[in-house]
């Protein structure tokens, strides 16, 4: 969330950002009003506390002079002050809590380079990569390829767990593991530390990394234990240092995380979202950076370059887009998406999101680092490296042959002992 200082000193900056996003100022005004109420309550409590302290000194002086009658009189006057202070303190705490609940709903300040737009149609082209594949036959959607080659069993998974779960089999399962190892090795070689996070989080830590009001509908709520199954490894990795003051010598902290991810993915979707494209469980290799504020925009470009280099090595065709104001969520100040070409549906689809969240998550997580002027919030950044199910779909559709075979990307062939094509599963 935004620092309280922004509302007190730079409210016009927040209002201008809301104007760019096309959203009203109501919540900003509520935060400012509640903050003033909180300050008034605290001031009144302090004044009464001062009155009580003065009375205590006067009582002591009266007793010292032997004037017990005066001491009793003053004591009677201030007898209820303690109760008043407690009531004002409770009201101040409640007001502060309400203020901050609203403050958590107010989105991050967008970077000036974020393009204006009402929805994803306003996203702008950043760069194009790889050679767009051409075919002398009608390319198939991945749904047909996985069925023809018996690489995925959706029916039996639905019987066991429900729709949008799947069994991954044979060479496609091997390819999924190869993608994980390739992405991990790639980022470890760029001095990222491999971290395997917990796959469940409590509500407090989850509220630190995302707006649960927007995100809770796609998450699995685990009761009665009060946990959430993680929707992305970004969340537990970013929350790893919550409520901590980080030594500056440790920054930047650069992590590559790998974990299963769980999403309810409610709602209707198109043909390209069937099969294993939009599912309830998938594996993701994620990049996380925690850094000093002055370094975060350089790290954002580095994260994007990591994605570009990694996907280029896979030999896939994709584009990078700069996400516009109307397509931006609550947390990020700027976001790039990588969109892979899916020839089976003749369209580009998102495979990577790369975000700079500035100090928004750190403020919610109370995650700071030491400076010569005191403690200051760090900046947090995240980017997909590989969401394996979507990478598998992209490889299948771009590397398919007329006979239904799928070529293995050259950089992944070492995990297949130089095997060139994925073999059909025999059951």
């Amino acid at each position: 969330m935004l620092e309280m200082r922004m509302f007190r000193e730079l409210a016009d900056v927040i209002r201008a950002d809301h104007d760019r996003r096309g959203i009203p100022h109501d919540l900003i005004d509520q935060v400012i009003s509640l903050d003033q109420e909180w300050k008034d309550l605290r001031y009144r409590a302090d004044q009464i506390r001062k009155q009580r302290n003065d009375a205590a000194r006067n009582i002591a002086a009266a007793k010292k002079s032997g004037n017990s009658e005066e001491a009793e009189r003053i004591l009677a006057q201030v007898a209820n002050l303690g109760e008043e202070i407690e009531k004002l303190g409770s009201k101040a705490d409640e007001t502060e809590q309400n203020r901050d609940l609203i403050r958590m709903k107010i989105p991050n300040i967008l970077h000036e380079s974020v393009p204006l737009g009402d929805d994803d149609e306003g996203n702008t082209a950043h760069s194009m990569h790889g050679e767009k594949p051409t075919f002398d036959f009608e390319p198939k959607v991945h749904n047909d390829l996985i069925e023809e080659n018996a690489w995925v069993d959706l029916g039996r998974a639905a019987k066991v767990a429900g729709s949008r779960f799947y069994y991954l089999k044979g060479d496609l399962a091997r390819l999924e593991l190869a993608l994980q190892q390739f992405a991990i090795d790639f980022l470890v070689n760029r001095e990222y530390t491999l971290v395997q996070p917990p796959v469940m989080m409590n509500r407090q830590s989850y509220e630190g990394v995302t707006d649960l009001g927007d995100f809770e509908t796609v998450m699995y709520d685990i009761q009665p234990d009060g946990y959430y199954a993680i929707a992305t490894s970004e969340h537990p990795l970013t929350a790893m240092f919550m409520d901590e003051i980080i030594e500056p010598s440790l920054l930047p902290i650069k992590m590559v995380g790998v974990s299963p991810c769980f999403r309810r993915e409610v709602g209707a979707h198109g043909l390209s979202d069937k099969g294993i494209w939009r599912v309830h469980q998938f594996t993701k290799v994620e990049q996380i950076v925690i850094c000093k504020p002055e370094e975060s925009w350089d790290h954002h470009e580095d994260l994007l370059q990591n994605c570009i280099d990694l996907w280029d090595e896979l030999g896939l065709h994709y584009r990078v887009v700069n996400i516009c104001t109307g397509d931006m969520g609550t947390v990020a100040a700027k976001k790039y998406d990588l969109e892979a070409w899916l020839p089976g549906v003749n369209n580009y689809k998102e495979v990577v999101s790369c975000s700079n969240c500035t100090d928004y998550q750190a403020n919610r997580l109370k995650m700071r680092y030491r400076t010569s002027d005191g403690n200051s919030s760090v900046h947090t950044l995240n980017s997909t490296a590989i969401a394996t199910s979507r990478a598998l779909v992209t490889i299948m559709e771009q590397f398919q042959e007329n006979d239904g075979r799928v070529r293995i990307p050259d950089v992944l062939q070492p995990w297949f002992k130089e095997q060139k094509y994925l073999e059909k599963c025999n059951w």
Side-chain angles (χ1 to χ4, degrees), residues 275-295:
I276 61 170
W277 180 264
R278 191 179 295 276
V279 288
H280 292 318
Q281 178 182 335
F282 58 97
T283 299
K284 187 144 72 93
V285 180
E286 184 83 9
Q287 306 176 76
I288 296 291
V289 174
I290 301 171
C291 67
K292 298 175 182 177
E294 64 269 20
E295 299 173 350

Side-chain angles (χ1 to χ4, degrees), residues 165-394:
F165 288 96
Y166 58 94
Y167 288 100
L168 206 58
K169 301 189 298 173
D171 274 1
L172 198 66
R174 293 176 64 200
L175 188 66
E176 200 266 352
L177 292 174
L179 280 167
Q180 289 185 47
Q181 193 62 61
F182 164 69
I184 290 167
D185 290 349
F186 182 93
L187 289 165
V188 167
N189 287 335
R190 297 197 172 188
E191 300 183 342
Y192 284 68
T193 300
L194 176 61
V195 180
Q196 289 184 293
V199 296
M200 289 187 284
M201 295 174 64
N202 57 41
R203 186 177 184 90
Q204 178 188 5
S205 57
Y206 232 126
E207 286 179 332
V209 291
T210 192
D211 180 2
L212 282 182
D214 287 342
F215 216 70
E216 199 165 10
T217 56
V218 304
M219 296 166 61
Y220 285 101
D221 187 3
I222 303 169
Q223 295 300 334
D225 300 295
Y227 294 108
Y228 293 91
I230 63 171
T232 166
S233 54
E234 169 212 333
H235 296 154
L237 291 172
T238 302
M240 188 174 181
F241 293 89
M242 69 180 294
D243 296 324
E244 292 189 31
I245 299 172
I246 304 170
E247 292 298 330
S249 59
L250 295 178
L251 300 175
I253 296 170
K254 301 163 72 174
M255 294 180 272
V256 49
V258 59
S259 75
C261 306
F262 305 89
R263 299 192 186 190
R264 292 170 64 190
E265 296 289 10
V266 294
H269 307 287
L271 174 65
S272 61
D273 292 338
K274 297 184 183 300
I276 61 170
W277 180 264
R278 191 179 295 276
V279 288
H280 292 318
Q281 178 182 335
F282 58 97
T283 299
K284 187 144 72 93
V285 180
E286 184 83 9
Q287 306 176 76
I288 296 291
V289 174
I290 301 171
C291 67
K292 298 175 182 177
E294 64 269 20
E295 299 173 350
S296 70
W297 291 110
D298 287 339
H299 284 300
H300 192 215
E301 297 301 318
D302 289 343
L303 287 175
L304 176 62
Q305 193 60 52
N306 288 342
C307 296
I308 289 171
D309 294 344
L310 188 152
W311 281 75
D312 281 353
E313 285 202 26
L314 289 169
L316 296 165
H317 171 61
Y318 62 94
R319 68 186 183 187
V320 179
V321 296
N322 194 359
I323 302 302
C324 74
T325 54
D327 198 28
M328 191 76 70
T330 301
V331 177
K334 183 176 181 179
K335 182 168 72 167
Y336 296 112
D337 277 0
L338 267 66
E339 298 179 340
W341 174 250
L342 299 185
V345 293
N346 196 38
N347 202 359
Y348 289 95
K349 302 281 284 185
E350 179 211 326
V351 291
V352 164
S353 284
C354 176
S355 301
N356 185 353
C357 302
T358 58
D359 63 357
Y360 193 85
Q361 291 173 316
N363 290 332
R364 295 165 78 120
L365 291 164
K366 299 178 182 177
M367 192 162 66
R368 297 162 293 168
Y369 76 108
R370 298 188 193 280
T371 75
S372 57
D373 297 323
N375 298 325
S376 180
S377 294
V378 294
H379 278 198
T380 61
L381 303 95
N382 65 81
S383 176
T384 315
I386 292 281
T388 56
S389 56
R390 295 194 171 189
L392 291 174
V393 170
T394 306

